[in-house]
Amino acid sequence: MIPGRTDGPLMKGNAPPLSRVSQITIAVGVGVFLGCIFGYLYPDGLFREATSRVTSAQVSSVSCNSAERVNMLKSELASLSDKHAELKKQIRDLNKKLQLAEQEKDQAQEQFLSLGVQRKAFPFGTEKGLRTNSAVLPDESVNPRLAKILEKVAVRKELIVALANSNVKEMLEVWFENIKRVGIPNYLVIALDENIESFCLSKEVPVYRRNPDEGIDSIGRIGGNHAVSGLKFRILREFLQLGYSVLLSDVDIVYLQNPFDHLFRDSDVESMSDGHNNMTAYGYNDVFDEPSMGWARYAHTMRIWVYNSGFFYIRPTTPSIELLDRVAARLSRDPTAWDQAVFNEELSFPSHPGYIGLHASRRTMDMYLFMNSKVLFKTVRKDSSLSKLKPVIVHVNYHPDKLPRMKAVVEFYVNGKQNALQSFPDGSLW
């Protein structure tokens, strides 16, 4: 063996066989071929295409989720708005109930103090006398049929009551249509003839027709305003005996708000006034001048304009029932007497020799909330500030053209027609 020669067995073992070289060559060729194919099919690259698809799917998903989220937020906002409105309504209702509860608490305290044992006077400025008499014990035996009606119609043992015959049918319709519009559920028409009873039933208006009474029925069917007005004092007595408070209403009244939300219920009688300003409605010191008396020529008098007997709230107390009895008795003795004058005399005249006065408490209603037609047509419609206020009711008591003025009140306060009241004179033409 020659030193440095490399052609021995070891050399032969390290040389790669022919088959392995062929496999490598084939693999390289396949790779080049596949590369050409992918290069043709995916010129932008395989991974870039996949990435693009993933990104597009993500954008679409985000867009879809955003739209769903916006719709969800809108739905939640609408739901919260409804809940907010409902909470505001509940708060208003609770405030009304709280006010009523406080009034009842004060009345209960006064009753307790009046019926309790004798005591010393409270400190200066804190003593209060009894103003609210306790209600009578209800007696359903007086009129079981009426008792069943009132049980369905009344709310918290109180309701609006109006008397009507066919002479006032058109005004009656305006009257109850506005009561319905306001949403007052507790009202009742006392029908004085068959026509009005049928009319109310056809209009789904709560109605009550008394059992036959020849004296009352004849007046009810053919009587004018004053004659019919005098009947209410006899008829109302049964309502009080049954334990219900009544808001007595003439039919020449337009309702714009629920009056039960604006009553104080701290007196036997709560009435609207015929007064037209603070002095006449709530009372004033009127000085009578008699020069012949010299030094004593001036005499001070206390004056207040009368309560309107066509709209008052009366509680079922002993003085209230006595008031109705007194007025009805006087009107039966003197059919020519005006019921409103008798009503105010019995409420106001004090005891004096030969006469025992009525010990009934009374309250004057707010004249701008419970508005008579003199206040409206002489003052309010001409005042830019007062005309923006919305009264609870408007009573067309000062004017004989009642129906057109009632319709004008509806146009002005309900339909917003600003010139609806302008064509009417302040007073009547005669």
Side-chain angles (χ1 to χ4, degrees):
M1 181 180 291
I2 301 174
R5 191 178 175 135
T6 60
D7 55 353
L10 182 60
M11 173 68 85
K12 292 178 180 179
N14 289 339
L18 178 60
S19 61
R20 187 174 181 184
V21 173
S22 299
Q23 291 175 355
I24 294 173
T25 302
I26 291 170
V28 171
V30 171
V32 172
F33 178 72
L34 292 174
C36 291
I37 292 174
F38 280 111
Y40 177 76
L41 295 176
Y42 303 101
D44 293 329
L46 176 62
F47 293 104
R48 183 174 180 180
E49 180 72 18
T51 303
S52 176
R53 290 177 180 175
V54 171
T55 304
S56 176
Q58 290 176 341
V59 170
S60 177
S61 176
V62 170
S63 176
C64 182
N65 290 337
S66 297
E68 290 178 356
R69 182 61 177 166
V70 169
N71 290 334
M72 189 189 314
L73 289 174
K74 287 182 177 179
S75 177
E76 291 178 356
L77 181 60
S79 177
L80 288 174
S81 298
D82 292 340
K83 290 180 179 178
H84 181 257
E86 181 63 24
L87 285 174
K88 288 179 66 176
K89 181 178 181 298
Q90 291 178 359
I91 290 173
R92 288 196 300 268
D93 292 342
L94 287 173
N95 285 335
K96 292 177 183 177
K97 291 180 180 179
L98 179 60
Q99 181 182 5
L100 181 61
E102 289 177 349
Q103 293 174 357
E104 291 176 347
K105 176 185 175 183
D106 291 341
Q107 294 170 8
Q109 288 177 339
E110 291 177 357
Q111 292 292 337
F112 174 78
L113 292 176
S114 68
L115 299 174
V117 297
Q118 289 183 317
R119 58 171 179 79
K120 295 181 179 180
F122 289 151
F124 178 81
T126 63
E127 190 67 81
K128 290 184 178 181
L130 179 65
R131 287 183 295 276
T132 306
N133 290 293
S134 58
V136 297
L137 187 66
D139 182 8
E140 292 190 4
S141 65
V142 171
N143 191 331
R145 185 167 66 90
L146 178 59
K148 291 180 180 180
I149 295 174
L150 296 183
E151 188 176 352
K152 296 178 181 178
V153 174
V155 175
R156 289 206 298 261
K157 303 287 285 187
E158 57 187 11
L159 74 161
I160 300 171
V161 173
L163 281 70
N165 62 15
S166 296
N167 294 333
V168 296
K169 182 178 179 180
E170 289 183 292
M171 285 192 292
L172 176 65
E173 186 168 14
V174 177
W175 180 85
F176 65 64
E177 286 298 337
N178 280 279
I179 285 180
K180 289 181 177 181
R181 180 186 53 77
V182 173
I184 304 170
N186 48 330
Y187 69 102
L188 180 68
V189 174
I190 300 178
L192 299 177
D193 58 43
E194 298 86 350
N195 186 18
I196 288 297
E197 182 181 22
S198 300
F199 177 64
C200 289
L201 292 174
S202 69
K203 297 292 184 177
E204 297 183 343
V205 171
V207 63
Y208 165 68
R209 182 92 187 277
R210 299 181 77 255
N211 292 329
D213 184 317
E214 186 58 35
I216 290 180
D217 287 351
S218 60
I219 297 175
R221 285 194 301 269
I222 62 175
N225 286 343
H226 287 299
V228 171
S229 185
L231 288 178
K232 61 195 173 193
F233 298 99
R234 290 178 59 183
I235 295 174
L236 283 182
R237 192 187 204 278
E238 291 183 349
F239 287 77
L240 301 194
Q241 285 181 275
L242 292 170
Y244 290 86
S245 296
V246 174
L247 183 57
L248 190 282
S249 172
D250 283 351
V251 296
D252 57 343
I253 292 176
V254 176
Y255 286 77
L256 302 169
Q257 298 185 61
N258 191 330
F260 294 108
D261 294 338
H262 301 272
L263 297 176
F264 285 82
R265 302 173 177 85
D266 63 349
S267 304
D268 297 306
V269 177
E270 199 166 338
S271 179
M272 72 172 294
S273 173
D274 271 3
H276 60 95
N277 55 28
N278 285 343
M279 289 176 57
T280 57
Y282 309 136
Y284 64 104
N285 181 9
D286 185 43
V287 179
F288 176 78
D289 183 13
E290 190 176 7
S292 63
M293 288 297 296
W295 176 82
R297 64 181 293 181
Y298 300 112
H300 291 259
T301 68
M302 301 307 300
R303 299 188 64 184
I304 184 172
W305 284 31
V306 296
Y307 287 147
N308 192 291
S309 63
F311 190 86
F312 60 88
Y313 178 79
I314 186 165
R315 297 178 59 250
T317 64
T318 299
S320 296
I321 295 175
E322 184 182 0
L323 170 65
L324 298 181
D325 288 350
R326 286 182 175 220
V327 176
R330 284 185 57 182
L331 292 176
S332 66
R333 292 194 300 268
D334 182 6
T336 63
W338 183 25
D339 68 282
Q340 181 160 290
V342 175
F343 175 72
N344 279 273
E345 289 171 0
E346 293 298 335
L347 265 178
S348 303
F349 285 171
S351 298
H352 55 264
Y355 177 79
I356 303 299
L358 179 70
H359 296 277
S361 57
R362 61 192 192 274
R363 166 182 282 272
T364 306
M365 293 175 172
D366 187 319
M367 68 173 181
Y368 290 120
L369 292 180
F370 299 91
M371 190 182 298
N372 63 56
S373 55
K374 181 176 182 177
V375 172
L376 174 62
F377 286 97
K378 190 174 181 179
T379 304
V380 170
R381 67 169 173 170
K382 302 174 184 178
D383 189 297
S384 58
S385 297
L386 291 176
S387 61
K388 295 177 182 178
L389 300 175
K390 188 175 184 179
V392 176
I393 61 108
V394 173
H395 189 177
V396 188
N397 61 315
Y398 268 100
H399 301 87
D401 51 339
K402 296 181 182 296
L403 186 59
R405 290 191 188 242
M406 289 176 71
K407 292 180 177 179
V409 169
V410 175
E411 287 294 322
F412 182 79
Y413 284 109
V414 178
N415 300 327
K417 188 176 179 181
Q418 295 302 306
N419 63 346
L421 304 175
Q422 298 310 313
S423 63
F424 297 93
D426 287 355
S428 63
L429 298 179
W430 53 274

